[in-house]
Amino acid sequence: MGRVYAVASGKGGVGKTTTVANLGAVLAAGGHETVVVDADLGMGNLSGALGVDPEAGPTVNDVLAGETTVEAAMREGPAGLSVLPASNDLDDFGPAAPANLEALLESIDATVVLLDTSAGLSHDSVEPLRVADEVLLVSTPEQGAIGDTVKTREVAERIETPVAGAVVTRATVDVDPDALADRLGVPVRGTIPEDPSVGVAAEAGEPLLTSAPNAPATAAYRRLAAELTGDESLEPAESDEPAGDEEGGESTEADSEAESTDDTAEASDGDDTDGESDPEAESDDEDGGGGFLRWLLP
């Protein structure tokens, strides 16, 4: 097992699944043996972002239920990426035991493993953070998303899993990464600009690398991959860089309208099926099951 990153945030709809799919594709295409695992056991949609049919064979849920092996559930994804999809059948949620995730990861032979986690605070969402080597936070620049991401950082710190930093998605030209880093309490390792190509790729079930190789968001995910691994060969070539501002040029009114399509498309991402969840509802989840995690965030 190589380096395991849990890609996490407290709120759904911020682009965790999009980040796992696109970061994974860039790493795999760049020669890093990479596996992406959908650890959102109830509402996973990582497979949809990568054009993988979860019904075509066993899933992560089956592995965690002790019914099959990792090798049997592994699928071939785009750009040489290996995918462990979650089931989209609600009946498969109950038998899947998150406590078996560590054993599942130990049986994966790869350089990098990216875990797509669920939103909120529950045993299902915290266990991936516990078993990962590092946590990579994902947030939009909005105040509510940042507040929930800070809570996720605090959970990672309490269970003593290092935080690799944060990725800020849907970043406009006026976003200040240093100011966001101060608010999040961790370095911002990459900013992903608002880009209509993100929604188009999600609808097509393709990573940006194949759907829109020269898009601003694609270049941003390339820079993120290089930043995390230290592999400068993953950086976008000059011919791949978009014209104008390095992080995607000036945001136009048309781009903003197209981005609203992205919001809908990203809402189908595994973490994103929850959308902008109600803080009161998340609080109810936290107190469910006998008060699990009350000790984490008193």
Side-chain angles (χ1 to χ4, degrees), residues 3-252:
R3 197 71 177 165
V4 179
Y5 293 92
V7 181
S9 181
K11 186 179 287 295
V14 298
K16 291 190 296 292
T17 299
T18 298
T19 294
V20 169
N22 288 292
L23 178 59
V26 169
L27 289 169
H32 295 260
E33 189 175 7
T34 305
V35 175
V36 293
V37 179
D38 197 338
D40 189 346
L41 304 178
M43 295 185 177
N45 258 327
L46 178 60
S47 56
L50 292 167
V52 172
D53 182 4
E55 298 182 359
T59 64
V60 167
N61 300 66
D62 299 314
V63 178
L64 295 178
E67 298 174 356
T68 192
T69 64
V70 167
E71 291 77 12
M74 193 79 74
R75 314 292 171 79
E76 183 178 348
L81 185 64
S82 296
V83 184
L84 272 175
S87 173
N88 56 16
D89 187 340
L90 194 57
D91 290 336
D92 292 333
F93 174 68
N100 292 333
L101 183 60
E102 187 169 12
L104 179 153
L105 293 172
E106 288 174 352
S107 65
I108 293 177
D109 183 15
T111 305
V112 180
V113 179
L114 302 176
L115 299 177
D116 185 15
T117 67
S118 58
L121 288 177
S122 67
H123 186 38
D124 297 342
S125 63
V126 173
E127 186 63 11
L129 274 62
R130 188 187 69 80
V131 300
D133 295 309
E134 294 183 81
V135 175
L136 181 64
L137 300 171
V138 179
S139 180
T140 63
E142 283 71 31
Q143 181 175 351
I146 290 172
D148 285 349
T149 304
V150 168
K151 289 180 183 179
T152 305
R153 188 210 77 211
E154 292 172 348
V155 170
E157 290 171 348
R158 293 194 181 200
I159 59 179
E160 299 183 345
T161 302
V163 177
V167 180
V168 178
T169 61
R170 302 179 193 166
T172 56
V173 293
D174 58 347
V175 164
D176 182 350
D178 292 334
L180 287 177
D182 288 341
R183 294 171 66 187
L184 291 166
V186 293
V188 171
R189 306 296 295 272
T191 56
I192 315 300
E194 287 190 349
D195 185 347
S197 299
V198 174
V200 173
E203 287 292 330
E206 292 185 60
L208 284 159
L209 195 67
T210 58
S211 175
N214 298 317
T218 310
Y221 277 117
R222 285 183 178 276
R223 287 190 290 271
L224 173 62
E227 167 72 15
L228 284 177
T229 62
D231 182 355
E232 294 182 359
S233 70
L234 298 174
E235 291 272 4
E238 282 190 27
S239 59
D240 295 332
E241 287 282 10
D245 184 83
E246 183 179 345
E247 290 295 344
E250 294 185 3
S251 177
T252 66

